Amino acid sequence: MARASRRGSTSTRRCPSCSAPTLTQWVGDTAAIKVTADLTPLTSTQQVQLRTPNRLIWCLVTGDHRPHRLRWIHAWHPTNCPHPHVTDHQCTAPPTTLF
């Protein structure tokens, strides 16, 4: 039952600082992490440039009758995946606080 409620906790909204469209949700089944991802699809070249040990690329599963869902990209992820791939959101707006 907890599994269904965790998957239902998806929120699509805009970043309060830079207004970029983002998706925040828990990703994973055994050891989940909370991810806020940009909703801008990336090309394969952009994925290579943006991927770092601390910035991952996610598969954004979409469908006509279901909400967006982020998935891990594993070694067995298909190379011809029909879903867009996105990355963690890193806000580009200047900070609004002094501390």
Side-chain angles (χ1 to χ4, degrees):
M1 196 69 158
R3 186 176 184 178
S5 65
R6 185 168 26 128
R7 287 203 177 153
S9 62
T10 300
S11 63
T12 304
R13 58 180 70 158
R14 294 201 172 268
C15 173
S17 297
C18 67
S19 298
T22 61
L23 173 71
T24 301
Q25 83 179 81
W26 289 95
V27 179
D29 292 325
T30 305
I33 62 171
K34 193 168 188 176
V35 175
T36 299
D38 279 324
L39 291 180
T40 305
L42 302 171
T43 65
S44 57
T45 305
Q46 290 171 321
Q47 291 177 45
V48 171
Q49 292 172 346
L50 295 174
R51 182 180 291 123
T52 67
N54 295 321
R55 191 169 191 200
L56 302 175
I57 306 297
W58 304 96
C59 180
L60 180 63
V61 179
T62 58
D64 292 336
H65 305 290
R66 65 174 154 179
H68 294 334
R69 182 169 172 222
L70 296 171
R71 285 192 186 160
W72 291 94
I73 294 182
H74 296 286
W76 58 85
H77 191 78
T79 55
N80 58 348
C81 176
H83 304 290
H85 293 144
V86 297
T87 189
D88 299 331
H89 178 67
Q90 289 184 344
C91 192
T92 56
T96 57
T97 58
L98 298 176
F99 50 90

